[in-house]
Amino acid sequence: MIYIGLFITYIFINNFILTQFLGLCPFIGVSKNSESAIGMGMAVTFVMGIASIITYLVYHFLLLPLNLTYLQTLSFILVIASLVQFVEMVIQKNSPSLYQALGIFLPLITTNCAVLGIALINITEGYNLMQSFTAGLAAGIGFTLALVLMSNIRERLDLHPVRKAFRGVPIAFISGGLMALAFMAFDKSLLTNLLG
Amino acid sequence: MASGKINILSRGLLKENPVFILMLGLCPTLGVTTQVINALGMGAGVIFVLVFSNIFVSLLKDIIPGSVRIPSYIVIIAAFVTIVEMMMHAFAPSIYSSLGIFLPLIVVNCIILGRAEAFANKNSIVDSFLDAIGMGVGFTLALLLIALIREVFGSGTITLFAMGSFDGVIEIPILYTYPVRVLTLAAGALLLMGYLKGFFEWYSKRKRG
């Protein structure tokens, strides 16, 4: 039950982009067409899932026993950077077609706040290994959802007359704001109603 | 020569403002700007990290091999972020707790890595220092502007440092009773950012003629 709760929480209630402001750069930068939005979303979800597991292991089996928790930020970002590099190499070797689709997005993920964000949130919320993985995956799916919705809106917006100063990024922000208003309908009471 | 230095220092303020023109570092920009004091704290943290990481990247630019430069920059930045985190925890615990997750997230703030990659690894230490100050102050001013609008209209207050008998909160008469709540929420932040960006786009186009 708690895993369903985690999914609903991180996809809808605490959607990373629309309520937590994590991962805004790709939300604006990579949402011009839906194909790249899906690619970016998949790459981020993948990395977030794995990064949640590895940062959990690093924190609980390396930093805590050695009393080095103040190195949390430093070690997490190193883990994420090398993980992204590693994932890039594996995909390039084993699945050239997937690399074609995700390749250009992978280097961007290192500096995506959402990935480091979920690693830090997992620690502060005190999740165990399985819960961390679920939260990472769900946050990634929530990120993908917002990104894909946004790219669809922006593809439509291209066909409409928008005032010159508002074309591109400003109107994207405003549409994002309206989307965030809609996401406000999901709150904690929804979760209690659903799961009792 | 002197005008070149002034140009490096001043362009981050308006012409190449990191938030409104370059669109870098958006997550903390919207995440922490519910109160003026948070914007100031975040700005101070970013200026500190930006200055030191720019200086160190510029110092080490001939030693770091090109192929591992990004990870090396990240390690330099993360070290200074950890220092900021520990100092804020010790000296400004209330700001530390209200900035929360956005404090360690300075590591992945695109402004800092962006300036290291685009400026500090090609320029002298003095120029990198000036660039860091300009960009950092530009970032802080942008944050202040957004935080002022959001706090004044969203909750009708301006929260500053508490000093003596002054508890640090200025209340604005009518807005305090009838605030525009949506501005303090995520949706309002995104809407406001859209309108501000639109304004700056219009302004810079008009200036260019």
Side-chain angles (χ1 to χ4, degrees):
Chain A
M1 217 48 170
I2 187 166
Y3 295 105
I4 302 173
L6 277 175
F7 262 105
I8 296 175
T9 306
Y10 285 102
I11 295 177
F12 296 112
I13 301 169
N14 283 346
N15 185 293
F16 260 33
I17 295 177
L18 295 174
T19 65
Q20 311 256 41
F21 303 116
L22 298 173
L24 274 178
C25 299
F27 181 60
I28 299 298
V30 201
S31 62
K32 282 197 193 84
N33 67 70
S34 48
E35 241 168 73
S36 52
I38 292 172
M40 181 72 180
M42 274 164 54
V44 168
T45 311
F46 189 62
V47 172
M48 273 168 105
I50 302 176
S52 299
I53 296 179
I54 297 184
T55 49
Y56 178 88
L57 295 176
V58 166
Y59 187 81
H60 286 271
F61 294 102
L62 207 66
L63 296 181
L64 268 188
L66 295 175
N67 239 334
L68 288 175
T69 44
Y70 62 87
L71 286 181
Q72 181 181 317
T73 316
L74 188 66
S75 53
F76 282 8
I77 191 70
L78 276 182
V79 165
I80 291 167
S82 39
L83 179 71
V84 169
Q85 197 86 50
F86 177 71
V87 167
E88 193 179 348
M89 285 182 335
V90 169
I91 294 180
Q92 194 174 14
K93 204 92 185 149
N94 293 328
S95 163
S97 60
L98 190 63
Y99 184 75
Q100 282 273 309
L102 302 186
I104 48 164
F105 304 116
L106 283 168
L108 291 175
I109 294 178
T110 312
T111 53
N112 185 335
C113 338
V115 181
L116 186 59
I118 190 68
L120 295 168
I121 286 175
N122 282 336
I123 302 298
T124 43
E125 294 282 322
Y127 292 146
N128 66 28
L129 183 60
M130 207 48 216
Q131 287 167 342
S132 300
F133 177 65
T134 316
L137 217 56
I141 295 171
F143 176 86
T144 312
L145 177 72
L147 198 63
V148 171
L149 286 175
M150 188 66 191
S151 65
N152 285 322
I153 294 176
R154 285 184 77 172
E155 278 178 350
R156 293 259 174 135
L157 274 175
D158 282 344
L159 306 173
H160 288 274
V162 177
R163 280 192 79 89
K164 213 176 186 178
F166 278 92
R167 238 169 261 165
V169 178
I171 194 75
F173 264 112
I174 293 170
S175 331
L178 295 176
M179 229 155 85
L181 272 180
F183 266 70
M184 275 165 61
F186 304 109
D187 61 359
K188 285 258 155 47
S189 58
L190 176 89
L191 194 65
T192 10
N193 283 340
L194 277 177
L195 300 177
Chain B
M1 197 61 199
S3 71
K5 297 261 187 268
I6 292 170
N7 184 33
I8 291 173
L9 187 65
S10 69
R11 71 182 165 193
L13 299 182
L14 197 64
K15 209 166 77 199
E16 285 182 31
N17 187 290
V19 175
F20 292 124
I21 309 295
L22 304 180
M23 304 303 280
L24 295 174
L26 293 172
C27 313
T29 305
L30 299 184
V32 304
T33 48
T34 45
Q35 287 193 331
V36 174
I37 179 91
N38 292 350
L40 288 174
M42 190 68 192
V46 167
I47 291 176
F48 178 87
V49 176
L50 194 55
V51 165
F52 280 98
S53 66
N54 252 11
I55 290 175
F56 272 76
V57 167
S58 177
L59 271 175
L60 299 171
K61 62 177 180 281
D62 300 322
I63 304 170
I64 298 172
S67 51
V68 293
R69 64 178 196 285
I70 300 284
S72 323
Y73 298 162
I74 291 179
V75 174
I76 294 173
I77 295 166
F80 287 110
V81 170
T82 309
I83 294 172
V84 167
E85 239 181 298
M86 292 164 105
M87 290 210 302
M88 279 216 184
H89 201 170
F91 298 114
S94 64
I95 302 181
Y96 175 83
S97 55
S98 57
L99 287 181
I101 190 175
F102 287 102
L103 200 52
L105 283 179
I106 296 178
V107 177
V108 285
N109 190 323
C110 336
I111 296 174
I112 297 168
L113 195 63
R115 289 332 285 175
E117 170 74 6
F119 195 88
N121 73 345
K122 300 186 196 75
N123 291 284
S124 72
I125 298 165
V126 178
D127 285 357
S128 306
F129 172 76
L130 292 175
D131 178 71
I133 295 280
M135 284 289 161
V137 172
F139 176 75
T140 311
L141 286 179
L143 243 64
L144 258 181
L145 174 68
I146 299 172
L148 266 176
I149 298 176
R150 283 184 74 188
E151 207 193 342
V152 167
F153 290 100
S155 25
T157 54
I158 298 176
T159 312
L160 296 165
F161 303 93
M163 274 175 293
S165 60
F166 174 59
D167 67 348
V169 183
I170 304 167
E171 288 173 12
I172 289 139
I174 300 163
L175 285 166
Y176 186 69
T177 353
Y178 304 104
V180 190
R181 271 281 174 250
V182 72
L183 275 173
T184 56
L185 304 169
L190 287 166
L191 287 172
L192 176 67
M193 188 66 203
Y195 284 112
L196 281 175
K197 173 73 184 157
F199 171 76
F200 274 89
E201 206 114 296
W202 169 79
Y203 180 76
S204 59
K205 279 223 179 73
R206 203 189 60 150
K207 230 183 153 189
R208 256 181 267 134

